[in-house]
Amino acid sequence: MQILIAHSHLNPGGVTRIIESQIDSLKNIPVKVLVGTCPNPETITSRGAELVIMEELNYLEHKTYSDDEAKEMLDTVLEKLRQQITKDTVIHFHNLNLGKNPIVTFAVYLLAKEGVRVFNHAHDFAEDRPSNQTFLEEIISDIFSHNLSEVLYPDLPNYQFGVLNSFDLERLLSYGVEADRIEWLPNPVTFSCTIVNPDKEASKKTICEELKISDEKLLITYPVRVIQRKNIGEFILLSVLFDHITNFVVTQPPQNPVEREMYRQWVKFCEDHEIDVVFEAGNKVDFERLLCASDFCITTSYREGFGMVYLEPWLLNTPVVGRDIDYITKDFKDDGFTFPTLFYKINIPEIKIDFKDLNMKMQMEIICDLKSGRIEKQKMFEQNPILTTLFNKVADQVIEQNKEIIKSNYSLQGYGSKLQNRYKKLVG
């Protein structure tokens, strides 16, 4: 059995880290990694996996393609994929159905129809992203005249799925995928924790010096790459609301060109209005040391595939607070996790709508009003009483309990066993 792990790219981020974990968990199985681009090949080759670059797996430009263009691209993708496949290969494809490259989605479906074994590892879904869904329809339905649902969720024993949470498991069942073709595969939490017995106070002092911020305030870190769904406006709102007691930092800028203009506007907004958020902190200090030094990690994201941000920081004794995403945190809470303060919405005085649902211009106007005093902070707390507890001290017992749950339920060893058992089901 050979495992061919495939994805559009290996840029820094969640899927890349999961692919690295998968290689680490499959020590006794030959693994080949097939991607469109990989900025740091050593992260794969140093783990003993073979790396193959196939540019056709990259995100496809979202434009109108002629029938001839689409068919030519399809022929190329099929030819190059077949060169990597042997009779005992399992293709483990990440986010195949997301709609970033409909040609590849259709090609893998055609290979599955020929009998190639496919494990479709779904982190995110095109159904949640209308433009992606439209792109799939334009190519798969309009050009290739195939039923989109059949291509995305084929009824084939050699085509199986992995999902990150119970919500997506139920989603696939509702799409007609049989339960025995779905593996519930929560991501492993594999933070290396190279800092032994971290001294938070000393770490914080050093990090704050490097970031040129006061260590007298709470250090609040959003360990994320800033993209639209991470809801950075709400993060900035909270930084203003708590600026008397906190420093807010966020770790990475977006890489997707589509997201960069949004990010640039928020950075400029903070500069223009003297809002002291530290952007790109992950490029200025070591990521692990930053998480270790933080008093809290925070998330304002409104959509996640797995929600690693809710788990990972606890391993460095850093509690996680912020916006609750029910379909994500339900599984963690069912495991016994305790979250100190999570909120479902932020109400703005005189406005009967969740802050996250406002457009960027309106969010900026409200933040300006809060900054200037036209919206009183006290009224914000009256409208959102849960925020008064957001940065309350978290008991050591809660931290230790959550760490133990992570180690028991999200281990790399258990993850690897699940993967290998699923592959064996596919191979027969």
Side-chain angles (χ1 to χ4, degrees):
M1 178 169 60
Q2 180 203 55
I3 305 304
L4 179 63
I5 297 177
H7 186 41
S8 52
H9 63 78
L10 284 176
N11 294 331
V15 176
T16 295
R17 290 171 66 188
I18 296 309
I19 289 173
E20 292 168 358
S21 293
Q22 287 170 349
I23 298 168
D24 291 341
S25 74
L26 298 171
K27 290 300 186 187
N28 300 318
I29 298 177
V31 175
K32 183 186 293 186
V33 178
L34 181 66
V35 291
T37 186
C38 178
N40 188 4
E42 190 179 345
T43 61
I44 300 302
T45 56
S46 66
R47 289 176 156 84
E50 180 183 351
L51 177 65
V52 177
I53 303 298
M54 178 178 157
E55 293 180 358
E56 290 78 6
L57 297 186
N58 277 313
Y59 293 167
L60 197 60
E61 184 182 354
H62 192 167
K63 66 175 187 178
T64 300
Y65 293 89
S66 70
D67 291 10
D68 287 343
E69 284 177 314
K71 288 170 183 173
E72 183 178 345
M73 288 190 292
L74 177 64
D75 288 342
T76 301
V77 170
L78 283 169
E79 179 184 355
K80 290 194 174 184
L81 284 175
R82 286 192 175 105
Q83 290 172 2
Q84 304 299 328
I85 297 169
T86 63
K87 59 181 174 55
D88 63 348
T89 295
V90 174
I91 302 180
H92 182 147
F93 219 114
H94 289 267
N95 263 349
L96 178 62
N97 288 4
L98 184 54
K100 294 291 191 178
N101 191 326
I103 296 291
V104 171
T105 304
F106 188 55
V108 174
Y109 162 76
L110 293 178
L111 291 173
K113 292 281 283 186
E114 295 172 6
V116 173
R117 303 171 185 89
V118 176
F119 184 66
N120 183 338
H121 197 149
H123 300 253
D124 305 285
F125 288 78
E127 287 85 349
D128 298 328
R129 305 185 186 188
S131 64
N132 292 18
Q133 183 81 357
T134 298
F135 195 24
L136 286 164
E137 290 167 354
E138 288 171 353
I139 290 181
I140 292 171
S141 301
D142 298 347
I143 293 179
F144 293 115
S145 302
H146 272 67
N147 180 280
L148 181 58
S149 179
E150 161 62 18
V151 171
L152 298 183
Y153 308 105
D155 185 13
L156 298 169
N158 58 302
Y159 194 113
Q160 301 185 12
F161 293 85
V163 294
L164 308 187
N165 53 62
S166 60
F167 179 84
D168 288 337
L169 175 62
E170 294 297 327
R171 181 204 296 252
L172 286 188
L173 291 172
S174 74
Y175 293 165
V177 180
E178 301 91 339
D180 65 356
R181 291 199 295 125
I182 308 171
E183 186 73 42
W184 182 0
L185 201 62
N187 289 342
V189 184
T190 57
F191 209 102
S192 58
C193 292
T194 57
I195 303 173
V196 180
N197 298 321
D199 182 331
K200 190 170 287 289
E201 187 175 340
S203 299
K204 179 179 174 181
K205 186 174 180 60
T206 302
I207 288 291
C208 288
E209 285 176 359
E210 293 176 21
L211 293 177
K212 299 180 174 58
I213 56 178
S214 170
D215 62 359
E216 297 296 317
K217 293 183 176 182
L218 295 173
L219 178 57
I220 314 298
T221 297
Y222 195 4
V224 73
R225 186 174 297 283
V226 178
I227 57 177
Q228 191 70 42
R229 64 184 171 88
K230 301 299 183 180
N231 195 15
I232 192 66
E234 185 166 291
F235 173 78
I236 294 167
L237 174 82
L238 291 170
S239 79
V240 173
L241 191 60
F242 289 96
D243 60 3
H244 57 299
I245 59 168
T246 65
N247 288 307
F248 272 51
V249 308
V250 62
T251 51
Q252 291 291 339
Q255 287 195 328
N256 187 337
V258 176
E259 305 277 5
R260 285 179 190 151
E261 177 58 23
M262 172 274 299
Y263 176 73
R264 186 196 66 77
Q265 289 186 46
W266 277 117
V267 172
K268 185 175 187 302
F269 173 80
C270 288
E271 291 172 350
D272 290 347
H273 295 87
E274 298 182 342
I275 298 171
D276 295 326
V277 169
V278 178
F279 290 94
E280 302 179 30
N283 295 335
K284 300 170 184 175
V285 295
D286 178 77
F287 179 75
E288 183 180 347
R289 287 174 51 236
L290 174 60
L291 261 60
C292 173
S294 300
D295 293 287
F296 291 87
C297 280
I298 193 169
T299 173
T300 54
S301 174
Y302 54 77
R303 188 176 67 244
E304 291 293 323
F306 175 68
M308 188 69 81
V309 67
Y310 289 104
L311 302 183
E312 200 172 60
W314 295 95
L315 293 176
L316 289 168
N317 300 324
T318 303
V320 179
V321 299
R323 183 173 279 269
D324 202 343
I325 304 176
D326 254 343
Y327 68 87
I328 296 294
T329 59
K330 175 186 179 298
D331 295 336
F332 305 149
K333 292 171 184 174
D334 287 348
D335 286 337
F337 242 82
T338 299
F339 292 102
T341 306
L342 297 179
F343 55 83
Y344 289 106
K345 63 185 299 188
I346 291 184
N347 299 304
I348 306 300
E350 312 303 326
I351 299 178
K352 300 186 184 303
I353 189 169
D354 186 0
F355 183 81
K356 82 168 178 63
D357 295 327
L358 300 173
N359 62 34
M360 181 189 291
K361 182 174 181 292
M362 293 184 70
Q363 288 189 344
M364 287 180 172
E365 288 174 357
I366 287 168
I367 294 169
C368 284
D369 287 347
L370 186 64
K371 178 79 173 171
S372 68
R374 286 190 293 271
I375 294 178
E376 296 177 20
K377 289 185 179 182
Q378 183 57 36
K379 287 189 176 179
M380 284 289 296
F381 286 113
E382 289 172 2
Q383 290 279 326
N384 306 276
I386 194 168
L387 295 183
T388 63
T389 68
L390 192 58
F391 300 123
N392 284 3
K393 182 173 174 54
V394 177
D396 291 344
Q397 180 182 352
V398 170
I399 294 174
E400 290 305 316
Q401 173 186 305
N402 287 351
K403 287 168 68 174
E404 287 306 310
I405 292 170
I406 292 171
K407 293 171 184 176
S408 298
N409 295 13
Y410 300 92
S411 72
L412 188 64
Q413 182 179 1
Y415 186 82
S417 296
K418 277 189 173 184
L419 267 185
Q420 293 185 51
N421 289 337
R422 178 56 58 172
Y423 295 153
K424 289 173 184 175
K425 287 182 182 178
L426 270 165
V427 172

